Amino acid sequence: MRLLLKFLHSLAGAGLLGGALAMAVVALWAQRPESAAAHAPVIAALAQMAAWIIGPSMVLTIVTGLLAMAVTRAFQDVGWAWAKAATGILVLEMGLHVMGPIQEEAKRSAGQLAATADPASAARLLAAEANTLLLLAGVAAVNVALGVWRPKFPKYTVR
């Protein structure tokens, strides 16, 4: 069970990191849409990447990490595991922040609204999402690094 959780957690962490970087590249590449018609496919692609890569990877990372801490007694007493749990909260918050606006913009840019969408507004959204995605990738990389190197943190005792 422990090895399965470790494998799934590592796989999900890699998926989250790769998905965030891929979405950031797309968002940075497409920051200057000339028209709403050019904007809609980019947002649709980002929405699909968020739904099929970021979402499942985020959930699997958090669930397997928490389960690993629950079933492995040694993880409950080491600082790096608690640091990973803290970064998991950041991963969840940023993942939800990425998925919400992208899904809303995808709905808005689809269909009849694409003709009236503002390309400048889309560029601002893409710039903000690219920054958030790069931050999400950084936190995911820190999370992976904590799991690989398992640094020693000072022990704190409750008096």
Side-chain angles (χ1 to χ4, degrees):
M1 178 68 148
R2 181 176 174 261
L3 288 177
L4 177 64
L5 286 173
K6 184 177 181 180
F7 172 74
L8 290 174
H9 187 71
S10 298
L11 184 68
L16 184 63
L17 179 57
L21 287 175
M23 286 182 68
V25 166
V26 170
L28 288 170
W29 175 72
Q31 276 189 11
R32 294 185 192 96
E34 293 79 29
S35 67
H39 167 257
V42 171
I43 294 297
L46 288 173
Q48 290 298 315
M49 292 169 76
W52 289 98
I53 298 172
I54 297 293
S57 294
M58 178 182 59
V59 170
L60 191 60
T61 299
I62 292 168
V63 168
T64 55
L66 291 175
L67 283 175
M69 283 185 75
V71 301
T72 308
R73 191 91 172 125
F75 288 170
Q76 297 171 9
D77 297 328
V78 290
W80 65 265
W82 288 104
K84 280 179 64 77
T87 61
I89 294 168
L90 292 174
V91 165
L92 178 64
E93 178 64 32
M94 283 186 281
L96 293 175
H97 177 76
V98 166
M99 292 178 67
I102 290 290
Q103 298 296 338
E104 283 298 314
E105 184 66 20
K107 288 177 189 172
R108 204 172 24 179
S109 66
Q112 297 174 353
L113 295 176
T116 60
D118 179 23
S121 172
R124 284 190 302 277
L125 172 74
L126 289 174
E129 291 305 318
N131 292 336
T132 302
L133 287 161
L134 289 172
L135 187 60
L136 176 61
V139 171
V142 166
N143 202 326
V144 170
L146 285 169
V148 170
W149 284 293
R150 298 180 177 186
K152 302 283 187 234
F153 287 107
K155 294 205 179 217
Y156 297 102
T157 57
V158 179
R159 294 180 191 228

